[in-house]
Amino acid sequence: MEPLAMDGGSKAISLDQDELLQWPKMGVEEERAVLELLRNGEISQSEIGKTLAAEFKQFIGAKHALPKVNGTACLLSAFFALGIGKGDEVIAPTNTYWATVMPAAFLGAKIVFCESDPTTLCIDPADIRKKVTEKTKAIVPVHIYGYPCEMDEISEIAEERGGIPIIEDASHAHGAEYKGSKVGTLGTCAIFSLQGSKVIPAGEAGILVTNDIDIHERAMALGHYEMLQDLDRDAFKKYRRTGLGLKHRISPLHAAIALCQLRKFPEINGRITRNCETFLNGIEEIEGTGFEIPPRPSYIKRTYFMNQVLYREGAGIIPREDLTFLLGSEGLRVGQSRYEMLHKQPYFLERGYSASDLQFTDDLCGRLVSFPNFPWDESGELVQQYIHGIEKVAYHTRDDFT
Ligand SMILES: Cc1ncc(COP(=O)(O)O)c(C=O)c1O
């Protein structure tokens, strides 16, 4: 094995990563689509949002899709549509982006945080079971980094408690599947963020999907006064002059980008999945790396919004900081957990939450190492360089591993 880069060897990564890992990446299709709207003056009023809704609901297999300004607005609309407010409790993981819960907090609900599963990093159904009460009015599983939550167990808990609504936060998991169904169709309703870092990046946008017409129309009434006039039923149509208070409609320019990216998604997602799986299989075969590969049961088709891997620290294993330093000096782009635990943030501490709660998940996420998801590596050469870089570091530090 050649010497480590820090000892004068050449770096494991020689390819141009700026190009191969660029994200988001807009092509001529997006440029053309946006330019056409600009030239037509369709910068506010346009039918393109409806086209996006039609194609997205087909992609997910849901009856209704409502594009909005962002995923946060979708979550607010979902909580609003379910009538969540003061005195209600909403169950969610602590390891997630703030928008999963803050719209419910804004509506007056109490957020009840749960631990994450030690292998999938998704919300732990056993902890939901412990924390569900008479006051629980919604459960919000997040398919974190693209890994589908254990929806059967979560649905069973919700059913046992008289049908607690489930809002899937699918912001990381466009196109992922659980037991043959797309995520986004496994709960009462679901939201997808299309923010610029997501696997269908539109800049700022989101979509709420549901099979429940009442939720769809209530969410529409909150933020889409202009769409209400086309409704068949009068329950919300009557509010077409005012709506119910907010303006959430998607900007046509972002809808145009979303549509182009949605159409490209199967190809891009196929490459990301292939590359991430080759990468994970490759590092699984290297002896003594300390990495714990996420489980891959056959009933789950995950996506790789992020390629996060747990690192087992302990006796005989080099600390994660040293490992990431060595990998970084080989040219690998490695990071840490995407999120800081929500329950430890000042908003919650000021409201009586304790930073020492949910220690298990805090420690778990402290062991994450994130790798790229290799979106443009068509030949798979960069993936091989990454595997080689890890192999090299493992070889030279083997004595320090178990
Ligand atoms: C898990 C999760 N939920 C919700 C959101 C909110 O989406 P947006 O940024 O489109 O408002 C995001 C986006 O960053 C997210 O990662």
Side-chain angles (χ1 to χ4, degrees):
M1 184 69 68
E2 68 272 34
L4 288 171
M6 64 173 292
D7 294 331
S10 50
K11 289 187 180 192
I13 310 297
S14 61
L15 292 166
D16 178 357
Q17 298 191 79
D18 286 344
E19 201 175 305
L20 291 172
L21 302 181
Q22 184 190 343
W23 197 266
K25 190 170 183 171
M26 298 294 128
V28 284
E29 300 82 358
E30 289 80 4
E31 286 172 12
R32 265 194 224 119
V34 169
L35 207 55
E36 192 182 324
L37 292 172
L38 292 178
R39 286 186 175 141
N40 293 343
E42 291 181 60
I43 57 170
S44 181
Q45 303 284 349
S46 171
E47 291 295 300
I48 196 147
K50 286 187 188 160
T51 311
L52 174 63
E55 292 198 21
F56 200 85
K57 72 183 181 191
Q58 202 176 10
F59 165 62
I60 294 299
K63 284 193 188 144
H64 311 285
L66 193 58
K68 289 182 176 270
V69 283
N70 53 41
T72 309
C74 293
L75 280 151
L76 178 64
S77 307
F79 291 124
F80 173 81
L82 289 168
I84 305 258
K86 213 168 167 43
D88 297 336
E89 292 179 0
V90 169
I91 289 186
T94 185
N95 177 37
T96 182
Y97 184 63
W98 57 262
T100 302
V101 300
M102 292 309 285
F106 176 75
L107 291 172
K110 180 180 174 206
I111 311 304
V112 177
F113 290 112
C114 282
E115 303 273 18
S116 299
D117 178 275
T119 57
T120 67
L121 304 168
C122 289
I123 191 166
D124 180 1
D127 205 33
I128 299 179
R129 196 176 280 286
K130 278 188 214 151
K131 290 176 178 166
V132 70
T133 72
E134 293 295 302
K135 292 184 186 165
T136 308
K137 290 294 172 333
I139 301 173
V140 195
V142 181
H143 305 299
I144 198 88
Y145 312 132
Y147 201 103
C149 296
E150 271 305 341
M151 293 305 292
D152 277 359
E153 283 182 56
I154 295 170
S155 302
E156 197 180 294
I157 299 165
E159 281 313 308
E160 282 167 16
R161 292 289 183 144
I164 298 169
I166 297 174
I167 303 171
E168 293 176 79
D169 184 342
S171 296
H172 295 181
H174 317 64
E177 292 179 20
Y178 175 83
K179 300 192 175 168
S181 299
K182 284 252 170 67
V183 308
T185 61
L186 304 164
T188 315
C189 59
I191 78 97
F192 291 84
S193 167
L194 306 178
Q195 176 267 344
S197 69
K198 302 301 182 313
V199 290
I200 299 182
E204 291 294 339
I207 300 200
L208 171 65
V209 299
T210 182
N211 288 334
D212 184 325
I213 183 88
D214 293 329
I215 290 179
H216 179 63
E217 291 190 0
R218 250 176 93 77
M220 187 186 289
L222 181 68
H224 299 73
Y225 73 95
E226 79 288 357
M227 285 175 81
L228 299 176
Q229 63 199 6
D230 295 331
L231 294 179
D232 293 331
R233 310 188 307 170
D234 197 45
F236 294 103
K237 189 173 183 166
K238 65 188 176 203
Y239 299 119
R240 66 187 175 279
R241 301 272 175 243
T242 59
L244 292 181
L246 297 176
K247 195 171 175 216
H248 276 168
R249 72 176 177 228
I250 191 169
S251 134
L253 304 182
H254 294 93
I257 297 172
L259 202 52
C260 293
Q261 290 284 328
L262 176 62
R263 291 172 182 167
K264 290 176 178 180
F265 175 75
E267 186 202 328
I268 299 173
N269 185 51
R271 185 163 50 242
I272 289 176
T273 305
R274 253 190 328 276
N275 283 340
C276 287
E277 288 182 354
T278 305
F279 171 75
L280 292 175
N281 289 337
I283 64 172
E284 196 169 29
E285 282 173 16
I286 305 168
E287 204 191 316
T289 58
F291 287 120
E292 294 171 8
I293 308 302
R296 282 158 288 174
S298 57
Y299 63 88
I300 272 174
K301 201 166 132 198
R302 70 161 293 182
T303 52
Y304 290 88
F305 165 57
M306 294 202 73
N307 187 10
Q308 297 257 13
V309 187
L310 280 165
Y311 183 67
R312 177 168 45 90
E313 271 185 353
I317 306 243
I318 59 166
R320 188 182 62 149
E321 306 307 319
D322 296 352
L323 173 91
T324 53
F325 172 79
L326 287 174
L327 293 176
S329 58
E330 291 296 331
L332 281 76
R333 293 191 182 169
V334 287
Q336 304 190 344
S337 176
R338 187 172 177 91
Y339 302 116
E340 289 179 23
M341 303 300 99
L342 280 181
H343 72 280
K344 293 170 72 174
Q345 302 310 309
Y347 178 92
F348 292 102
L349 297 181
E350 285 163 7
R351 286 162 178 77
Y353 291 68
S354 165
S356 60
D357 283 348
L358 300 142
Q359 198 59 50
F360 178 80
T361 301
D362 203 0
D363 291 345
L364 187 71
C365 295
R367 294 201 284 120
L368 284 170
V369 179
S370 84
F371 293 98
N373 62 1
F374 310 106
W376 309 111
D377 184 19
E378 284 190 37
S379 67
E381 209 183 327
L382 184 62
V383 172
Q384 293 307 327
Q385 292 196 347
Y386 265 68
I387 295 170
H388 178 61
I390 293 170
E391 207 168 18
K392 209 173 144 186
V393 169
Y395 176 86
H396 285 286
T397 55
R398 191 148 284 150
D399 289 345
D400 300 325
F401 287 90
T402 43

